[in-house]
């Protein structure tokens, strides 16, 4: 079920960016229908979906650290996490470079940030756009939004820096807070403490604030393993309703005026919903009809990391002014399918082989 949610979250980011690139704002539609309002609301949940990703990452990755306990190997952990990220990041950066060079020939105005307010993403006129080697290497080392800008038009890369530093920070925090008093553990604790302090000082506030939803995912794992209460299907429905309410709340003006960030509210209520899923009395069997969602879950990282430059390429041809009404939805579907096919092809050669390569490397150092 959580894999299906991860797939849906990836699709919401994907469809949201494509909708922003093709359709005008709903504010420009006179008397929008209920169907149009629903379409714009659902495809406007891209950022909220990233928060869902953070919670799920905390549950799976942070949970693996918690469950390992004394058998935790920092070397194997780092290899597994870095390889997982880099197997997609490197080809995504190369694809972004090639696409941006292509765009610079056919419609260079896209790269100036002219359409940022329309697309709500991509090159920002108020921020540096860079295809330099320094930025390329900075993104490989997860320094985007910290020491370098995101690479080229691939603005969704901002969250990958968050993910990496959460991967680094959490094991270090657990080491510092460990109750072991063994003398040989002192050095490790001191190093971990210095690492935590360094990360806290150097990382921007935005990345640190995003760590809270990630830690909420770890809490879900902890309570799932420790508690004996099993959630009923009714609890699952109720917690989903509250989670849906948090999504609606995040789209209101009220969420911008309260002290508690909307991202934390979404993280909290999704975490509770997540707990109700994993603690359900009768886990639902995987429906074979949902195999497509299983594939989407496996390829969700590639979809997230590669879709935006491809969308920018389609937008650069400026053919959308010739379409309106129902034809615009046909174009929306056609572009979505085209981008998905391209990404599936790239996923087949790179991300799909992550586990195979990781296991080969880990077998050699065991």
């Amino acid at each position: 079920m959580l894999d299906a949610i991860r797939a849906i979250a990836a699709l919401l980011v994907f469809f949201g960016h494509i909708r922003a690139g093709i359709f005008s704002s709903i504010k420009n539609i006179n008397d929008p229908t209920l169907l149009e309002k629903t379409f714009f609301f659902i495809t406007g949940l891209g950022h909220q979906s990233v928060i869902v990703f953070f919670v799920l990452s905390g549950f799976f990755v942070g949970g693996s650290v918690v469950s390992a306990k004394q058998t935790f190997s920092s070397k194997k952990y780092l290899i597994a996490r870095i390889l997982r990220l880099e197997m997609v990041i490197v080809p995504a950066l190369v694809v972004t470079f090639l696409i941006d060079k292509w765009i610079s020939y056919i419609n260079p105005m896209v790269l100036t940030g002219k359409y940022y307010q329309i697309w709500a993403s991509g090159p920002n006129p108020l921020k540096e756009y860079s295809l330099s080697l320094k930025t390329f290497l900075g993104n490989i080392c997860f320094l985007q939004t910290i020491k370098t800008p995101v690479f080229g038009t691939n603005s969704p890369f901002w969250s990958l820096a968050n993910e990496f530093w959460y991967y680094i920070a959490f094991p270090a925090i657990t080491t510092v807070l460990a109750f072991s008093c063994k003398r040989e553990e002192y050095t490790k604790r001191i190093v971990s403490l210095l690492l935590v302090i360094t990360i806290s000082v150097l990382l921007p506030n935005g990345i640190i604030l995003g760590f809270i939803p990630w830690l909420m995912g770890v809490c879900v794992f902890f309570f799932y393993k420790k508690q004996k209460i099993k959630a009923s299907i009714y609890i699952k429905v109720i917690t989903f309703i509250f989670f849906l309410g948090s999504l609606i709340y995040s789209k209101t003006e009220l969420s911008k005026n309260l002290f508690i960030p909307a991202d934390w509210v979404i993280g909290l209520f999704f975490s509770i919903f997540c707990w109700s899923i994993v603690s359900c009395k009768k886990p639902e069997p995987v429906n074979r009809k949902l195999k497509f969602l299983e594939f989407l879950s496996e390829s969700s990282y590639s979809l997230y990391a590669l879709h935006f430059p491809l969308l920018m390429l389609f937008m650069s041809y400026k053919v959308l002014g010739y379409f309106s009404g129902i034809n615009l939805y046909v174009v929306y579907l056609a572009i979505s399918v085209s981008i998905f096919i391209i990404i599936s092809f790239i996923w087949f050669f790179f991300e799909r082989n992550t586990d195979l390569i990781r296991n080969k490397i880990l077998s050699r150092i065991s």
Side-chain angles (χ1 to χ4, degrees):
M1 184 63 174
L2 295 185
D3 286 338
I5 292 175
R6 181 166 55 187
I8 293 171
L11 284 177
L12 288 177
V13 175
F14 177 57
F15 288 138
H17 281 146
I18 296 176
R19 190 267 299 161
I22 296 176
F23 289 84
S24 176
S25 171
I26 193 171
K27 297 178 181 178
N28 299 328
I29 301 177
N30 294 324
D31 194 22
T33 65
L34 178 60
L35 184 61
E36 288 174 324
K37 290 180 180 179
T38 303
F39 173 71
F40 274 83
F41 174 77
I42 292 175
T43 56
L45 296 175
H47 179 77
Q48 291 81 353
S49 297
V50 174
I51 303 305
V52 168
F53 275 129
F54 286 165
V55 174
L56 291 175
S57 177
F59 178 82
F60 288 114
V61 179
S64 70
V65 175
V66 172
S67 61
K69 296 182 180 179
Q70 300 300 324
T71 62
F72 176 77
S73 168
S74 57
K75 182 186 293 186
K76 292 182 178 180
Y77 173 82
L78 284 175
I79 290 174
R81 291 297 98 209
I82 291 175
L83 188 63
R84 165 66 176 154
L85 292 172
E86 297 291 6
M87 281 292 290
V88 173
I89 285 179
V90 174
L93 290 173
V94 173
V95 169
T96 301
F97 177 81
L98 296 174
I99 287 177
D100 282 19
K101 286 298 183 180
W102 191 346
I103 292 175
S104 68
Y105 288 111
I106 61 176
N107 191 357
M109 292 301 293
V110 170
L111 306 181
T112 66
K114 178 181 178 181
Y115 303 103
Y116 177 77
Q117 294 300 325
I118 299 174
W119 295 336
S121 197
N124 186 337
L126 301 180
K127 296 182 179 180
E128 180 186 0
Y129 168 86
S130 176
L131 275 184
S132 69
L133 178 61
K134 175 185 176 181
T135 304
F136 183 93
L137 296 176
N139 279 236
I140 286 180
C141 296
F142 310 100
L143 295 175
Q144 62 270 32
T145 73
I146 303 171
K147 292 297 182 180
T148 69
V150 294
F151 188 70
T153 56
N154 210 330
S155 54
F157 256 49
W158 69 269
S159 68
L160 301 185
N162 291 47
E163 281 285 354
F164 174 78
W165 292 108
Y166 300 159
Y167 292 168
I168 298 298
F170 183 69
I173 292 173
T174 57
T175 300
V176 172
L177 298 179
F179 292 103
S180 172
C181 295
K182 295 179 180 179
R183 182 172 298 178
E184 58 268 23
E185 298 290 328
Y186 289 165
T187 301
K188 186 185 295 185
R189 271 197 192 182
I190 293 173
V191 172
S192 297
L193 179 60
L194 292 175
L195 179 60
V196 171
I197 294 173
T198 302
I199 290 175
S200 301
V201 171
L202 296 182
L203 292 186
N205 289 336
I207 294 181
I208 295 176
L209 292 176
F211 194 32
I212 301 301
W214 200 93
L215 290 175
M216 290 178 182
V218 179
C219 291
V220 173
F221 181 87
F222 180 80
F223 285 113
Y224 162 62
K225 290 295 184 180
K226 295 295 183 179
Q227 55 86 32
K228 298 180 181 180
I229 301 173
K230 296 296 182 180
S232 67
I233 186 64
Y234 302 105
I235 296 297
K236 185 188 294 187
V237 172
I238 292 172
T239 55
F240 174 74
I241 291 173
F242 275 99
F243 168 55
L244 182 60
S246 72
L247 295 178
I248 296 173
Y249 161 78
S250 71
K251 304 295 286 186
T252 66
E253 290 297 321
L254 178 63
S255 66
K256 302 176 183 178
N257 300 324
L258 294 183
F259 175 73
I260 302 176
D263 290 353
W264 291 7
V265 176
I266 294 169
L268 174 62
F269 284 103
F270 176 71
S271 295
I272 297 173
F273 174 54
C274 186
W275 166 82
S276 73
I277 292 173
V278 297
S279 300
C280 189
K281 288 182 178 179
K282 296 180 180 180
E284 298 176 3
V286 177
N287 192 325
R288 291 185 178 181
K289 295 180 180 179
L290 299 180
K291 283 294 183 180
F292 180 64
L293 281 180
E294 184 178 333
F295 166 71
L296 281 177
S297 177
E298 293 177 359
S299 60
S300 59
Y301 181 23
S302 292
L303 184 66
Y304 181 84
L306 285 158
H307 76 277
F308 202 79
L310 290 166
L311 174 62
M312 292 293 95
L313 180 59
F314 277 97
M315 297 300 101
S316 298
Y317 279 97
K318 300 190 296 185
V319 297
L320 298 177
Y322 298 102
F323 301 96
S324 61
I326 190 64
N327 290 332
L328 203 54
Y329 287 90
V330 174
V331 172
Y332 177 87
L333 181 60
I335 291 179
S336 299
V337 171
S338 299
I339 292 176
F340 185 77
I341 291 173
I342 295 171
I343 292 174
S344 297
F345 181 79
I346 298 174
W347 165 84
F348 182 84
F349 287 100
F350 294 97
E351 186 181 5
R352 184 178 71 94
N353 298 303
T354 300
D355 290 344
L356 177 63
I357 296 175
R358 181 194 63 211
N359 292 336
K360 285 185 177 180
I361 294 176
L362 292 179
S363 65
R364 292 181 179 180
I365 66 171
S366 298

